[in-house]
Amino acid sequence: MNRLLLKWNVGLLALPLLLWIVLLIILPLSDLFISSFQEKVGVGVFEWGLGNYQAFLQEPFYWQTFIRTVLFSIIATMATLGVAFPVAYYIAKVARGRVKSMLFVLCLLPFWVSELVRNYGWMIILRESGLLNHFLMKLNLITQPIEFLYRDATVMMGLIYTSLLFMVVPLVVVLENLDESLLEASDDLGGGRLISLRRIIIPHAMPGIVSGCIMVFMLTLGNYLTATLLGGKESLWFTEHIYNQFMTRWNWELGSAMGFLLLVVSSALVWLGLRMTGQKLNKVMT
Amino acid sequence: MTFALECRSLSKRFGSFSAVSDVSFTISEGSFFSILGPSGCGKTTLLRMISGFCEPDKGDIVIHSRSMRGILPNARPVNMVFQQLALFPMMTVFENIAYGLRCRKVSKKKISFHVEEVLNRVGLAQSGSKKIDQLSGGQKQRVAIARCLVLEPKILLLDEPLGALDLKLREHMKIELKKLQTQLGTTFLYITHDQSEALVMSSHIAVMKEGRIEQIGTPQALYQSPKSSFVAQFVGDNNHWRGKIVQFCEPYVEVQTEEGWKLKALYSSSFQVGDRVDIFVRPEAMLVKSGEKKPNGWVNCFEGLVSSVVFNGGTRDLWVNVRGGNGSSFSKELKVTLPAQKGDGEACLPSGRAVEVGWDALSSHVLKVGVK
Ligand SMILES: Nc1ncnc2c1ncn2[C@@H]1O[C@H](COP(=O)(O)OP(=O)(O)O)[C@@H](O)[C@H]1O
Ligand SMILES: [Mg+2]
């Protein structure tokens, strides 16, 4: 009797989780999957087929943007790692007490305003009549205002800025439980800073590095606002194409195919990253 | 004569707290030198200054006639076995030991030759490919030592390396370490808070207290003639009284203890009537008699009751509750160590037995209070 009750209770506890998985993950994804294989043959008439994927491949504008977005996301992830690692190391190992928590809050600060506001902030600073140009002109460093917006480098900077926290947090966590005496031992055995970094610190931080990279890569790949607002027309982000298919062109089937491609490629890249670094997903995510 | 290591009046402060003050000693080559002191007396700080992780505020460290001032840890001819071992968990045993050689850019072939050799020497020949967390405590210990030895340091620094092991293994490793050191001829600087470790292994011991060195000497010298009350109490067991010299009666001095006992010790010209002194008597210097016939020849002799007996195999410890003579009302537990010989009736004293405890004047070790 009790046992049966227990079973029911456990079932009840698992219910929200189950609902969450089914409603938020399985349902939308399978819908995406199904509709990506539907071809429009007439008004409201659909047929199974690979037409959407063909359409994607036949339009260079689409797949070029796609490749560009993936490459940019990879570069942005690596750049974020490069910026975040010293910051995380400083927070975890060098800073003490008040300074430490202050630095952490500083990393968190950008997230107190919404992404939209944050990006408008950047626009105010970077546009042709913006703050940066104002100062550069005042200092006589330039004579003509420069348009900083709508450049690849600006998009990159915006993406790094947005992603920094998601890289810093896992890195701080792993670096905090790096035993300092390991570094001293390395030093004692004749290892310089670079050797210690390469052979002790980075291998120790690997789970954090990989989980940070996965998060940042996913966030960047799926980013919409930063890429659109700071990038302008010249540097299109793939999410914009998807958005256009759904909202402007009203071609949900092609949009689904594009979304599904993005999902497949990002999953494949994450898998590749895990394989290359010899990490396990379950270890990285805990 | 050149020394393996010379420390010249080293001092180190942390804020206003003086962790190491004016420490000087020399270690001759090939010796097993221990620094013995209670926890927090500055041993690790001293070792970290020698290994270069911490700069002394004052003083100089000289290794084989070369001053170490301004020389970084990775360039010093010493290696350190850390208190928590600090083995690299992301590497195998082999990689751990090869680490130092790889930093020195030794060729792959030579590395594997040297690592195999040192693995053999510490008795881990088959364990090269194991991960660190697959090793037992004693094996980790040996890897930590091997990792340093492979670099052939001038001095091996060991910071309480046996602290994390269980008792049995510790006893075993003590002997192992001593053997290894004799075999290699490397100078060992060994840090410990355990006096028995220091006594067993060392050729010389420096006893430290609150950042200062109290006494340096061979284990025998420290045990038999401690120069301060701290050393007398810290190294080995001792029965202890505090009192005042009341009179000379050649060839003895008589001391009246705070409890009112009258104890006799050998006269020395440095004593004066009225000096405040500590008296120490080793448990094994004490003698015990039971029964009617009064022992004679014992200068110090007191009646007491055996309160407990502990059998240690080769020896037997008695705790005897002794009333001081001359109507003193204070009683005191004295520790007496007797050899446990077979058929020795006197050694089989059960608790509760009335006995006489005594010792000769030579065994009373007298130290003036507040004077080194
Ligand atoms: N980095 C430090 N900052 C402040 N105080 C320290 C530091 N390192 C050690 N101490 C203090 O110095 C004293 C001696 O420490 P230590 O050398 O580790 O002692 P031991 O190894 O003999 O136990 C301790 O009281 C400790 O609190
Ligand atoms: Mg210590």
Side-chain angles (χ1 to χ4, degrees):
Chain A
M1 201 43 217
N2 263 339
R3 246 194 220 163
L4 200 68
L5 220 68
L6 198 72
K7 252 188 187 163
W8 270 99
N9 278 338
V10 172
L12 275 176
L13 280 174
L15 197 64
L17 184 70
L18 209 69
L19 277 177
W20 188 58
I21 290 175
V22 169
L23 288 179
L24 292 176
I25 300 175
I26 296 182
L27 270 183
L29 279 184
S30 39
D31 192 45
L32 198 73
F33 185 70
I34 290 166
S35 67
S36 77
F37 287 104
Q38 305 255 307
E39 284 174 51
K40 202 173 200 165
V41 286
V43 181
V45 189
F46 293 94
E47 242 175 41
W48 290 96
L50 290 169
N52 295 317
Y53 292 93
Q54 266 166 6
F56 168 79
L57 287 174
Q58 274 157 8
E59 174 57 69
F61 188 41
Y62 291 158
W63 59 258
Q64 275 169 5
T65 312
F66 182 69
I67 290 172
R68 217 183 76 96
T69 304
V70 171
L71 281 181
F72 255 62
S73 299
I74 292 173
I75 296 171
T77 307
M78 292 299 125
T80 310
L81 178 62
V83 175
F85 202 90
V87 174
Y89 192 84
Y90 192 88
I91 292 177
K93 284 285 163 234
V94 183
R96 294 267 170 273
R98 292 261 300 267
V99 180
K100 189 170 183 152
S101 34
M102 257 192 30
L103 283 172
F104 227 156
V105 170
L106 223 61
C107 282
L108 203 75
L109 215 56
F111 292 83
W112 286 0
V113 293
S114 81
E115 198 184 0
L116 196 65
V117 176
R118 217 180 315 146
N119 281 306
Y120 279 131
W122 278 117
M123 291 173 84
I124 291 169
I125 296 172
L126 295 175
R127 68 187 166 173
E128 229 172 327
S129 54
L131 277 175
L132 186 59
N133 272 312
H134 180 76
F135 275 113
L136 288 176
M137 299 266 277
K138 267 270 159 69
L139 293 169
N140 282 327
L141 289 172
I142 51 170
T143 47
Q144 292 280 82
I146 302 170
E147 181 59 280
F148 290 107
L149 285 178
Y150 319 127
R151 288 162 184 262
D152 289 347
T154 313
V155 177
M156 193 61 87
M157 183 218 61
L159 288 173
I160 294 172
Y161 180 74
T162 309
S163 315
L164 207 56
L165 183 74
F166 299 95
M167 191 66 95
V168 166
V169 171
L171 286 180
V172 166
V173 170
V174 283
L175 288 174
E176 279 215 305
N177 54 38
L178 170 65
D179 188 355
E180 242 128 304
S181 68
L182 290 186
L183 298 180
E184 285 186 345
S186 164
D187 202 5
D188 185 62
L189 294 168
R193 292 191 173 200
L194 268 176
I195 298 182
S196 296
L197 179 70
R198 196 164 53 83
R199 301 206 43 209
I200 313 287
I201 301 175
I202 291 182
H204 175 89
M206 214 45 177
I209 292 176
V210 173
S211 75
C213 282
I214 290 177
M215 267 196 282
V216 171
F217 179 69
M218 299 286 203
L219 282 173
T220 328
L221 199 62
N223 186 291
Y224 180 75
L225 273 174
T226 304
T228 322
L229 292 178
L230 300 183
K233 282 285 160 283
E234 295 300 305
S235 42
L236 261 182
W237 211 248
F238 193 60
T239 41
E240 277 181 77
H241 280 313
I242 300 179
Y243 177 86
N244 284 341
Q245 293 306 328
F246 277 99
M247 306 317 272
T248 325
R249 303 275 184 82
W250 212 246
N251 189 348
W252 284 38
E253 292 69 41
L254 184 54
S256 296
M258 286 175 164
F260 202 73
L261 270 175
L262 200 61
L263 180 72
V264 169
V265 166
S266 65
S267 308
L269 280 172
V270 166
W271 177 82
L272 199 72
L274 286 170
R275 275 298 294 270
M276 266 165 41
T277 52
Q279 300 289 323
K280 295 264 183 299
L281 189 64
N282 53 6
K283 210 179 138 198
V284 163
M285 286 303 162
T286 45
Chain B
M1 183 181 173
T2 66
F3 295 103
L5 173 73
E6 275 180 80
C7 290
R8 296 181 185 152
S9 43
L10 286 178
S11 298
K12 179 74 191 175
R13 304 178 74 87
F14 293 113
S16 64
F17 174 76
S18 187
V20 171
S21 22
D22 197 25
V23 165
S24 301
F25 60 89
T26 57
I27 302 179
S28 46
E29 216 176 321
S31 63
F32 196 123
F33 192 96
S34 293
I35 292 173
L36 171 66
S39 188
C41 73
K43 304 181 297 291
T44 301
T45 308
L46 181 57
L47 207 66
R48 290 171 63 82
M49 288 195 278
I50 295 168
S51 58
F53 292 122
C54 144
E55 270 299 303
D57 296 334
K58 264 195 238 123
D60 197 6
I61 295 158
V62 180
I63 297 174
H64 282 261
S65 313
R66 214 171 113 226
S67 170
M68 288 294 123
R69 199 172 285 146
I71 295 183
L72 293 174
N74 54 18
R76 295 191 182 198
V78 297
N79 287 112
M80 178 142 150
V81 177
F82 286 78
Q83 200 161 0
Q84 267 76 38
L85 300 184
L87 296 174
F88 305 131
M90 61 291 272
M91 300 180 201
T92 62
V93 170
F94 185 97
E95 287 169 326
N96 261 280
I97 298 174
Y99 190 87
L101 293 174
R102 281 177 70 174
C103 291
R104 287 184 187 175
K105 306 223 164 26
V106 177
S107 75
K108 272 227 164 86
K109 238 172 90 185
K110 273 194 180 157
I111 288 181
S112 74
F113 172 76
H114 286 299
V115 174
E116 294 300 338
E117 189 195 43
V118 81
L119 275 174
N120 265 323
R121 199 184 294 154
V122 296
L124 287 171
Q126 307 303 321
S127 305
S129 59
K130 283 191 184 155
K131 280 262 170 204
I132 294 305
D133 53 16
Q134 292 173 315
L135 300 179
S136 70
Q139 288 173 324
K140 280 185 194 159
Q141 192 70 59
R142 278 181 264 170
V143 173
I145 292 169
R147 187 172 72 173
C148 295
L149 286 182
V150 78
L151 297 174
E152 294 172 351
K154 292 258 169 33
I155 306 169
L156 184 64
L157 310 173
L158 302 107
D159 189 356
E160 310 204 12
L162 306 187
L165 304 182
D166 59 64
L167 188 67
K168 183 120 191 181
L169 199 55
R170 203 151 61 209
E171 294 298 318
H172 177 70
M173 284 303 291
K174 266 190 221 171
I175 312 293
E176 288 277 294
L177 264 181
K178 179 66 193 165
K179 272 192 201 156
L180 195 68
Q181 192 269 336
T182 321
Q183 229 178 64
L184 296 168
T186 308
T187 311
F188 275 37
L189 175 52
Y190 186 92
I191 277 190
T192 181
H193 65 264
D194 181 326
Q195 47 97 17
S196 80
E197 276 175 26
L199 289 178
V200 169
M201 293 192 276
S202 323
S203 46
H204 285 83
I205 302 174
V207 181
M208 248 181 116
K209 179 197 175 193
E210 290 164 9
R212 291 174 185 281
I213 288 193
E214 286 272 310
Q215 187 175 354
I216 303 180
T218 61
Q220 291 84 347
L222 288 184
Y223 191 81
Q224 280 157 11
S225 37
K227 291 219 176 67
S228 71
S229 300
F230 177 76
V231 177
Q233 276 168 309
F234 198 68
V235 180
D237 278 325
N238 249 326
N239 293 296
H240 171 223
W241 294 263
R242 175 161 285 192
K244 226 183 234 164
I245 293 181
V246 285
Q247 60 172 326
F248 295 136
C249 40
E250 298 276 347
Y252 307 125
V253 285
E254 199 172 77
V255 176
Q256 168 118 29
T257 72
E258 285 169 354
E259 299 91 345
W261 300 30
K262 288 229 165 68
L263 305 180
K264 288 202 177 75
L266 272 193
Y267 172 80
S268 146
S269 57
S270 63
F271 295 146
Q272 286 186 341
V273 171
D275 279 349
R276 275 167 56 72
V277 292
D278 281 318
I279 291 197
F280 296 97
V281 182
R282 294 279 178 203
E284 66 274 11
M286 297 216 170
L287 302 161
V288 174
K289 264 251 163 24
S290 74
E292 278 84 71
K293 47 180 179 162
K294 280 263 172 191
N296 44 21
W298 293 0
V299 180
N300 299 292
C301 184
F302 301 97
E303 290 172 5
L305 289 177
V306 177
S307 63
S308 59
V309 184
V310 174
F311 179 63
N312 283 331
T315 58
R316 168 187 300 263
D317 291 336
L318 262 56
W319 271 267
V320 185
N321 214 338
V322 178
R323 284 273 197 88
N326 304 348
S328 154
S329 55
F330 290 97
S331 69
K332 189 179 175 83
E333 289 246 291
L334 298 184
K335 186 180 177 186
V336 180
T337 302
L338 299 172
Q341 285 160 350
K342 240 191 276 175
D344 183 349
E346 282 169 346
C348 303
L349 299 160
S351 57
R353 175 73 60 90
V355 290
E356 306 246 352
V357 180
W359 63 93
D360 57 29
L362 202 66
S363 303
S364 310
H365 197 81
V366 181
L367 292 167
K368 286 203 224 176
V369 174
V371 182
K372 267 214 191 159

